[in-house]
């Protein structure tokens, strides 16, 4: 059919009726051509019942949809071979397709229509090896033919019902039943006005009534039709969080107001843009932080904090030891337009006003301009962020070295007393050079401004921060620093107090401020750079290997094959790997039944132990990430001296009920974000990291330009990381794939 108008469809239906008669029932989707008055009137005159599919859910006839999918693949191959003349042979293709037995019915379409096999191309090629018997008496033939058709119909119906039950059972095993009551408020996935091929969640709307087990009638006063019939899969509950206005804006489609959801991915801490920090409150509750110490030792720590009270103020300070510079070489100034932010313009203005009043920014006349956006925080207020992706692309990298993580950990591991400190908003305690102030200029609807301090998202921020901290702690004994994580360690109490005093003196001279809420004083063990250190021991944090340790015992051969594929990929460095897993591989032999014995469980536990024990950390990391329908998984890798890839840490996490509805690119992107946050201690300092993903579109995330609010926010989150995303085949990404299919609850 060259067109699918109502007239063309009824003309084709009339041609069909001339061969096979007038049907009793016609089933269709809710296309306007089928729902028109002319089509309805024609069916009414022919006394044909019209069954229609659920709203926006046209997959109402599985056999037909599956047949169309097979037919499309045949047409694709056929058209590629015959090129421009493919349409001339279309009838011959349909003759062959109608002679193929369908798995769901057990018959070919020709057998169900004509009661016998039609002589097709295969019959010609095979020379009619199985000719049909010649009929005798005509009456007997007609009677037998009718009985044959009846039996074929009965068997096909039985086979189809069994196939449908099997498919329904498979679908329902992972489906989530949604129930709504009249009067409930929901969000509905509806077409975008003016763009019928795109849809998004709109609302909130009120449910008027339930029309069937799966369909609901909604009141949609803001759309062309005042009511809308929707399938339950297109609805999700609406939770009133006091943000009616924000939801209305999202429904209207303001593309530039990048509003973030709560997916554990955050921009700079809110304290940077608020007028009060937490140090005052922490000082008032200092006894709770020192409850693990004796009263004598606690008083000595309090006295030390009181002596250096300037380190624990609520006012953000700025060091004079160095300034951050941005070198873009001969690159031409990059000027971008500001993002549209109406009618939330006042939010941008409030954030800019705070930066100006606290000396963090100033009006600018720069020829550079990077746009700004608002990111919603969990409390429904907004953070102010700058999109520096284009600036970072032309910035020359700073090669200042970061400390080796294992060196830092080894220094601390043998100590008896360990104290850990964190600088409050470290980036905002470093000023910018005049050139950097010009390049870091940001544009808003209210004007052009320049940061006076190092902003979040600049490429060489981690290198500058490490250079500052190295200068601060230079010459100190019993002190290690990795970016803003500072530890002081010693074997005696007296020595520990002396070293704390020396560090505080250095920090005062550098004019830095400490975040008291994240400090730990004189602990026996602390978590430092992803390891538990102290008491003469260094051991991994339990959560690092829990993902692999919590991998569930297989219950089917398919699950066992997935686990063996994951562990077998790294068998080169597993001692006696084949011996350890032999009870598991025996379950996969021939026609052996799957019986999970105690020996299988021991082999399963030992195989996990081989993977999760004794990782060796080095310099260049590799990160494998993957997302499945139910969760995300990642494994941090490194190559040893023999260039064999070894796993360092594992991560997996289950999607919640909202994230499970994300698109594929969004699931893969948030898997990467979660993995970077989980392994931030290893790769958050600007060290080069190669990320492998079997989802090729993820490689373009850093250059993404669209109105998808989540992806834009996550692309901004990646700015401080020195990562290179590479595509890898799914069969080579077995470890992350297996972890994503057996995720842990967050």
């Amino acid at each position: 059919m060259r067109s699918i108008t109502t007239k063309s469809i009824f003309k084709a239906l009339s041609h069909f009726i001339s061969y096979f008669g007038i049907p009793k029932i016609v089933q269709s989707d809710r296309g306007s051509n089928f729902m028109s008055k002319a089509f309805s009137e024609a069916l009414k005159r022919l006394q044909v019942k019209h069954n229609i599919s659920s709203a926006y859910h046209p997959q109402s006839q599985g056999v037909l949809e599956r047949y169309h999918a097979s037919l499309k693949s045949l047409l694709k191959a056929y058209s590629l071979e015959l090129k421009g003349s493919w349409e001339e042979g279309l009838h011959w293709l349909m003759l062959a397709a109608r002679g193929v037995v369908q798995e769901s019915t057990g018959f070919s379409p020709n057998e169900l229509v004509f009661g016998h096999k039609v002589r097709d191309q295969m019959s010609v090629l095979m020379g009619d090896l199985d000719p049909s018997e010649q009929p005798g008496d005509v009456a007997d033939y007609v009677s037998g033919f009718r009985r044959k058709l009846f039996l074929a119909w009965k068997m096909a119906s039985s086979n189809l019902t069994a196939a449908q039950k099997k498919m329904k059972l498979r679908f329902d095993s992972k489906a989530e039943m949604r129930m709504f009551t009249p009067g409930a408020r929901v969000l509905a996935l509806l077409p975008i006005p003016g763009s019928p091929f795109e849809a998004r969640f709109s609302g909130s709307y009120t449910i008027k009534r339930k029309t069937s087990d799966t369909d609901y009638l909604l009141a949609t006063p803001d759309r062309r039709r005042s009511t809308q019939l929707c399938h339950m899969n297109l609805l999700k509950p609406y939770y009133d969080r006091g943000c009616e206005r924000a939801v209305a804006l999202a429904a209207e489609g303001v593309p530039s107001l990048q509003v973030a959801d709560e997916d554990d991915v955050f921009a700079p801490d809110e304290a940077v843009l608020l007028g009060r920090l937490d140090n005052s409150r922490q000082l008032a509750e200092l006894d709770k932080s020192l409850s693990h110490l004796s009263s004598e030792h606690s008083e000595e720590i309090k006295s030390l904090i009181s002596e250096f009270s300037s380190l624990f103020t609520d006012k953000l300070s700025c060091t004079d030891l160095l300034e951050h510079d941005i070198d873009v070489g001969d690159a031409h100034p990059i000027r971008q337009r500001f993002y549209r932010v109406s009618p939330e313009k006042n939010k941008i203005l409030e954030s800019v006003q705070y930066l100006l009043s606290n000396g963090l920014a100033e009006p600018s006349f720069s020829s550079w301009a990077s746009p700004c956006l608002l990111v919603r925080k969990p409390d429904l207020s907004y953070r102010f962020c700058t999109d520096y992706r284009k600036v970072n692309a032309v910035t020359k990298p700073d090669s200042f070295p970061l400390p080796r993580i294992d060196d830092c950990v080894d220094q601390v591991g043998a100590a008896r007393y360990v104290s850990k400190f964190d600088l409050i908003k470290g980036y905002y305690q470093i000023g910018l050079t005049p050139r950097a102030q010009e390049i870091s200029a940001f544009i808003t609807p209210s004007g052009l401004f320049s940061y006076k301090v190092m902003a979040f998202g600049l490429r060489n921020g981690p290198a500058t921060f490490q250079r500052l901290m190295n200068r601060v702690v230079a010459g100190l004994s019993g002190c290690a620093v990795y970016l803003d994580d500072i530890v002081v360690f010693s074997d005696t109490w007296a020595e520990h107090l002396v070293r704390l005093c020396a560090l505080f003196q250095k920090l005062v001279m550098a004019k830095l401020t400490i975040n008291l809420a994240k400090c730990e004083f004189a602990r026996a063990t602390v978590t430092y750079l992803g390891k538990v250190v102290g008491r003469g021991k260094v051991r991994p944090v339990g959560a690092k290997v829990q993902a692999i340790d919590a991998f569930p015992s297989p219950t089917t051969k398919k699950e066992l094959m997935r686990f063996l594929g994951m562990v077998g990929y790294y068998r080169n460095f597993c001692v006696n790997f084949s011996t350890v897993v032999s009870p598991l591989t025996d379950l996969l032999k021939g026609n052996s039944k799957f019986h999970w014995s105690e020996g299988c469980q021991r082999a399963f536990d030992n195989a996990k132990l081989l993977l999760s024990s004794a990782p060796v950390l080095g310099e260049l990391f590799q990160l494998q990430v993957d997302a499945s329908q139910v969760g995300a998984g990642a494994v941090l890798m490194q190559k040893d001296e023999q260039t064999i890839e070894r796993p360092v840490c594992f991560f997996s996490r289950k999607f919640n009920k909202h994230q499970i509805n994300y698109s594929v690119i969004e699931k893969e992107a948030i898997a990467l974000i979660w993995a970077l946050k989980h392994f931030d201690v290893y790769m958050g300092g600007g060290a080069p990291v190669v990320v492998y993903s079997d989802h090729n579109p993820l490689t373009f995330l850093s250059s993404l330009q669209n109105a998808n609010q989540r992806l834009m926010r996550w692309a901004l989150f990646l700015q401080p990381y020195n990562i290179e995303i590479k595509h890898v085949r799914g069969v080579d990404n077995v470890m992350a794939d297996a972890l994503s299919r057996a995720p842990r609850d967050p």
Side-chain angles (χ1 to χ4, degrees):
M1 296 177 63
R2 297 186 179 276
S3 65
I4 54 173
T5 61
T6 301
K7 184 177 180 181
S8 300
I9 288 177
F10 197 79
K11 184 177 180 181
L13 184 60
S14 300
H15 184 71
F16 176 88
I17 290 175
S18 68
Y19 282 98
F20 304 103
I22 301 174
K24 292 182 178 180
I25 300 174
V26 169
Q27 182 171 331
S28 72
D29 58 29
R30 293 175 175 267
S32 58
N33 41 14
F34 297 117
M35 302 298 291
S36 64
K37 292 183 179 179
F39 191 79
S40 299
E41 181 65 24
L43 294 183
K44 183 178 180 180
R45 294 196 174 208
L46 294 175
Q47 298 183 7
V48 177
K49 182 181 178 181
H50 188 194
N51 288 349
I52 55 179
S53 65
S54 300
Y56 298 103
H57 196 266
Q59 298 87 353
S60 55
Q61 178 48 271
V63 176
L64 180 63
E65 296 293 335
R66 187 67 190 89
Y67 182 73
H68 282 173
S70 301
L71 188 60
K72 287 179 181 178
S73 61
L74 291 174
L75 289 173
K76 182 179 179 181
Y78 199 62
S79 60
L80 289 176
E81 182 176 352
L82 297 183
K83 301 187 184 300
S85 59
W86 69 272
E87 190 175 0
E88 298 177 5
L90 183 59
H91 299 292
W92 294 103
L93 175 65
M94 294 303 300
L95 174 63
R98 290 166 181 154
V100 177
V101 176
Q102 294 187 1
E103 182 182 2
S104 56
T105 61
F107 294 90
S108 67
N110 283 335
E111 288 177 319
L112 292 177
V113 173
F114 301 110
H116 62 84
K117 292 183 178 179
V118 175
R119 188 169 184 263
D120 54 14
Q121 295 95 322
M122 290 298 297
S123 300
V124 174
L125 291 175
M126 298 177 65
D128 294 328
L129 296 179
D130 186 24
S132 302
E133 296 182 1
Q134 296 296 326
D137 183 76
V138 175
D140 292 341
Y141 171 77
V142 172
S143 177
F145 179 74
R146 294 183 62 181
R147 176 170 175 77
K148 186 185 296 185
L149 283 178
F150 174 77
L151 292 177
W153 169 79
K154 190 173 182 180
M155 292 178 62
S157 299
S158 176
N159 293 339
L160 182 60
T161 301
Q164 289 173 339
K165 289 182 178 178
K166 182 179 178 181
M167 293 299 296
K168 184 179 186 301
L169 183 63
R170 183 181 302 175
F171 178 85
D172 290 347
S173 64
K174 296 183 179 180
E176 179 182 351
M177 190 65 180
R178 297 186 176 95
M179 299 292 293
F180 304 98
T181 58
R185 299 171 67 187
V186 295
L187 297 177
L189 185 64
L190 299 175
I192 298 175
S195 181
F197 297 104
E198 296 181 90
R200 68 174 170 213
F201 280 100
S202 306
S204 62
Y205 299 123
T206 303
I207 292 181
K208 297 188 68 174
R209 69 175 184 273
K210 183 177 181 179
T211 60
S212 69
D213 290 340
T214 58
D215 296 340
Y216 293 87
L217 187 66
L218 308 184
T220 54
D222 60 334
R223 301 183 70 88
R224 183 173 58 88
R225 296 170 58 183
S226 59
T227 59
Q228 196 84 31
L229 187 64
C230 291
H231 190 274
M232 65 180 181
N233 286 354
L234 303 179
L235 305 177
K236 61 182 182 181
Y238 174 80
Y239 299 101
D240 190 356
R241 302 178 182 175
C243 54
E244 304 275 353
R245 189 176 174 213
V247 173
L249 287 175
E252 293 172 9
V254 181
S256 56
L257 183 58
Q258 309 294 333
V259 180
D261 294 327
E262 299 176 25
D263 292 310
D264 300 336
V265 181
F266 302 105
D269 287 341
E270 61 268 25
V272 175
L273 301 179
L274 298 177
R276 181 176 178 80
L277 305 178
D278 287 333
N279 278 346
S280 296
R281 186 176 62 185
Q282 291 296 324
L283 286 172
E285 301 175 356
L286 194 57
D287 289 334
K288 294 181 180 179
S289 303
L290 303 177
S291 58
H292 62 286
L293 297 175
S294 64
S295 58
E296 180 182 356
H297 290 175
S298 177
E299 289 300 325
E300 290 177 328
I301 294 294
K302 290 180 182 179
S303 176
L304 192 62
I305 293 175
S306 177
E307 180 180 352
F308 296 96
S309 58
S310 60
L311 292 176
F312 306 98
T313 64
D314 285 344
K315 185 177 181 181
L316 208 61
S317 58
C318 186
T319 184
D320 55 5
L321 292 185
L322 57 74
E323 293 179 320
H324 178 73
D325 191 26
I326 303 176
D327 187 0
V328 295
D330 298 328
H332 295 289
I334 298 174
R335 182 184 182 276
Q336 304 177 67
R337 293 184 58 84
F338 59 82
Y339 292 143
R340 294 177 56 197
V341 291
S342 58
E344 290 291 325
K345 183 176 179 180
N346 290 335
K347 299 290 185 181
I348 287 279
L349 296 179
E350 292 173 8
S351 302
V352 173
Q353 184 58 43
Y354 175 80
L355 294 174
L356 295 175
S357 60
N358 287 273
L360 302 178
E362 62 183 3
S364 175
F365 298 92
S366 174
S367 55
W368 297 71
S370 297
C372 297
L373 51 98
L374 295 175
V375 179
R376 188 189 299 166
K377 298 185 297 185
D379 61 358
L380 300 181
S381 58
Y382 295 93
R383 295 188 183 97
F384 181 79
C385 300
T386 308
D387 185 355
Y388 281 125
R389 286 182 293 172
K390 291 188 176 181
V391 173
N392 290 339
V394 298
T395 301
K396 293 182 179 180
D398 187 346
S399 300
F400 188 83
L402 296 179
R404 288 178 60 94
I405 294 176
D406 49 353
D407 290 343
C408 295
V409 171
D410 290 341
Q411 293 180 57
V412 184
R416 184 180 177 187
Y417 297 100
V418 183
S419 294
K420 185 174 71 170
F421 303 96
D422 182 84
L423 295 185
I424 194 164
K425 317 304 175 265
Y427 274 29
Y428 288 88
Q429 298 189 48
I430 300 177
L432 295 178
T433 65
R435 177 171 67 172
Q437 291 185 30
E438 180 181 5
I439 296 174
S440 67
F442 59 93
I443 190 170
T444 71
S446 60
L448 184 66
F449 306 90
S450 289
Y451 282 105
K452 299 174 66 176
V453 295
M454 189 166 66
F456 175 84
L458 293 174
R459 177 174 186 176
N460 294 324
T464 298
F465 199 88
Q466 186 64 47
R467 181 181 286 109
L468 168 65
M469 297 313 300
N470 283 5
R471 292 185 185 180
V472 171
V473 302
L476 295 181
S477 300
C479 182
V481 61
Y482 188 90
L483 295 176
D484 60 346
D485 283 325
I486 310 170
V487 291
V488 175
F489 50 93
S490 62
D491 293 328
T492 65
W493 177 257
E495 186 181 33
H496 198 68
L497 286 179
V498 171
R499 291 179 176 180
L500 287 179
C501 182
L503 174 64
F504 287 177
Q505 289 176 351
K506 289 273 191 175
L507 292 175
V508 169
M509 293 174 60
K511 298 180 180 179
L512 297 174
T513 305
I514 292 177
N515 185 2
L516 191 57
K518 295 184 179 180
C519 292
E520 296 183 56
F521 291 94
R523 292 276 185 177
T525 59
V526 297
T527 301
Y528 179 57
L529 302 182
K531 293 184 179 295
V532 178
V533 297
R535 290 183 177 175
K537 297 180 181 180
V538 178
R539 60 184 186 274
V541 178
K544 296 291 184 179
V545 293
Q546 274 185 346
I548 193 67
D549 288 341
F551 199 98
S553 299
T555 57
T556 63
K557 284 189 176 182
K558 185 174 181 180
E559 293 178 1
L560 177 59
M561 292 174 64
R562 182 183 300 137
F563 175 77
L564 290 177
M566 177 184 68
V567 297
Y569 186 75
Y570 302 102
R571 62 183 301 160
N572 288 340
F573 57 86
C574 294
V575 180
N576 299 326
F577 176 82
S578 58
T579 303
V580 172
V581 300
S582 59
L584 304 180
T585 55
D586 290 342
L587 292 178
L588 303 178
K589 291 182 178 179
N591 297 324
S592 61
K593 294 184 178 180
F594 186 88
H595 175 65
W596 193 256
S597 63
E598 293 183 3
C600 294
Q601 185 63 43
R602 284 196 299 269
F604 177 73
D605 294 335
N606 291 336
K608 293 195 295 183
L609 183 62
L610 288 176
L611 282 175
S612 58
S613 62
V616 179
L617 302 182
E619 294 179 351
L620 182 62
F621 289 99
Q622 297 178 1
L623 181 64
Q624 296 181 1
V625 297
D626 190 47
S628 67
Q629 292 291 333
V630 295
V635 54
L636 189 64
M637 305 289 302
Q638 286 191 320
K639 292 183 179 180
D640 59 13
E641 292 79 3
Q642 289 78 33
T643 69
I644 298 176
E645 292 181 347
R646 299 192 55 165
V648 175
C649 295
F650 307 91
F651 165 77
S652 69
R653 181 170 176 178
K654 185 182 295 184
F655 292 137
N656 62 31
K657 61 181 180 180
H658 308 296
Q659 295 155 352
I660 205 169
N661 295 319
Y662 284 0
S663 63
V664 176
I665 178 64
E666 290 175 332
K667 288 181 177 178
E668 296 285 349
I670 199 171
L672 172 59
I673 298 297
W674 282 348
L676 289 175
K677 287 176 65 65
H678 188 77
F679 301 127
D680 182 72
V681 68
Y682 303 118
M683 57 188 64
V689 179
V690 180
V691 177
Y692 292 100
S693 171
D694 58 8
H695 189 65
N696 193 48
L698 195 63
T699 59
F700 305 101
L701 185 61
S702 61
S703 57
L704 189 67
Q705 291 186 359
N706 62 28
N708 188 309
Q709 299 174 3
R710 292 194 186 100
L711 293 180
M712 282 288 292
R713 175 168 56 90
W714 294 338
L716 292 174
F717 176 84
L718 297 178
Q719 288 183 156
Y721 293 93
N722 186 9
I723 63 174
E724 179 183 4
I725 304 177
K726 293 185 178 181
H727 178 254
V728 65
R729 295 184 307 165
V731 295
D732 296 329
N733 200 32
V734 292
M735 177 69 81
D737 177 73
L739 288 173
S740 71
R741 297 179 189 276
R744 296 172 57 241
D745 292 322

